[in-house]
Amino acid sequence: MASVPTPPAQPEDTTDSYVGLDAEAAERQARARGWSTVRALPPGTVITMEFRGGRINFEVDASTVTRCWVG
Protein backbone atom coordinates (compact mmCIF):
# COMPACT_ATOMS: atom_id res chain seq x y z
CA MET A 1 0.00 0.00 0.00
CA ALA A 2 1.31 3.43 -0.94
CA SER A 3 1.90 5.98 1.78
CA VAL A 4 -0.25 9.08 2.01
CA PRO A 5 1.58 11.99 0.34
CA THR A 6 2.56 14.95 2.45
CA PRO A 7 0.66 18.07 1.34
CA PRO A 8 2.80 21.00 0.20
CA ALA A 9 3.66 23.62 2.77
CA GLN A 10 1.53 26.74 2.66
CA PRO A 11 3.09 30.19 2.57
CA GLU A 12 3.51 32.04 5.85
CA ASP A 13 0.91 34.71 5.18
CA THR A 14 -1.86 36.65 6.90
CA THR A 15 -5.22 36.58 5.12
CA ASP A 16 -6.23 39.91 6.65
CA SER A 17 -3.44 41.62 4.70
CA TYR A 18 -5.39 41.11 1.46
CA VAL A 19 -8.71 42.64 2.58
CA GLY A 20 -9.16 46.07 1.03
CA LEU A 21 -6.68 45.51 -1.81
CA ASP A 22 -7.54 45.76 -5.48
CA ALA A 23 -8.25 42.22 -6.72
CA GLU A 24 -5.46 42.26 -9.32
CA ALA A 25 -2.91 43.56 -6.83
CA ALA A 26 -4.01 40.95 -4.29
CA GLU A 27 -3.54 38.15 -6.83
CA ARG A 28 -0.05 39.38 -7.78
CA GLN A 29 0.90 39.62 -4.10
CA ALA A 30 -0.46 36.13 -3.32
CA ARG A 31 1.43 34.54 -6.22
CA ALA A 32 4.63 36.38 -5.23
CA ARG A 33 4.26 35.02 -1.69
CA GLY A 34 4.01 31.45 -2.99
CA TRP A 35 0.32 30.57 -3.26
CA SER A 36 -0.05 27.99 -6.03
CA THR A 37 -3.78 28.61 -6.55
CA VAL A 38 -5.51 31.98 -6.23
CA ARG A 39 -9.29 32.02 -6.54
CA ALA A 40 -11.38 35.21 -6.79
CA LEU A 41 -15.13 34.85 -6.26
CA PRO A 42 -18.02 37.31 -6.31
CA PRO A 43 -20.04 37.69 -3.08
CA GLY A 44 -22.53 34.89 -2.46
CA THR A 45 -20.93 32.40 -4.85
CA VAL A 46 -21.84 28.81 -4.01
CA ILE A 47 -18.67 26.72 -3.65
CA THR A 48 -17.74 23.34 -2.24
CA MET A 49 -15.99 23.44 1.10
CA GLU A 50 -13.17 20.96 0.47
CA PHE A 51 -9.82 22.08 1.81
CA ARG A 52 -7.07 22.39 -0.77
CA GLY A 53 -3.59 23.16 0.51
CA GLY A 54 -1.79 25.95 -1.30
CA ARG A 55 -5.01 27.74 -2.29
CA ILE A 56 -6.05 31.21 -1.18
CA ASN A 57 -9.56 32.50 -1.84
CA PHE A 58 -10.72 36.07 -2.27
CA GLU A 59 -14.28 37.34 -2.16
CA VAL A 60 -14.22 40.29 -4.54
CA ASP A 61 -16.85 43.04 -4.73
CA ALA A 62 -16.39 46.03 -7.08
CA SER A 63 -12.76 44.95 -7.79
CA THR A 64 -11.87 45.03 -4.08
CA VAL A 65 -11.10 42.04 -1.84
CA THR A 66 -13.71 42.03 0.93
CA ARG A 67 -12.89 38.63 2.48
CA CYS A 68 -9.98 36.20 2.29
CA TRP A 69 -9.50 32.60 3.46
CA VAL A 70 -7.19 29.65 2.90
CA GLY A 71 -8.13 26.29 1.42
Side-chain angles (χ1 to χ4, degrees):
M1 176 183 259
S3 61
V4 175
T6 303
Q10 291 190 158
E12 295 282 330
D13 206 357
T14 306
T15 56
D16 290 341
S17 67
Y18 294 94
V19 175
L21 295 178
D22 173 75
E24 289 181 18
E27 181 174 350
R28 283 192 305 273
Q29 180 175 308
R31 292 194 187 282
R33 290 182 177 176
W35 293 100
S36 57
T37 304
V38 179
R39 183 167 66 167
L41 306 161
T45 300
V46 177
I47 58 171
T48 60
M49 294 304 293
E50 83 282 358
F51 182 86
R52 184 170 176 194
R55 177 172 67 191
I56 192 165
N57 302 283
F58 300 136
E59 183 173 277
V60 178
D61 191 13
S63 298
T64 301
V65 176
T66 56
R67 180 175 166 233
C68 179
W69 69 99
V70 173

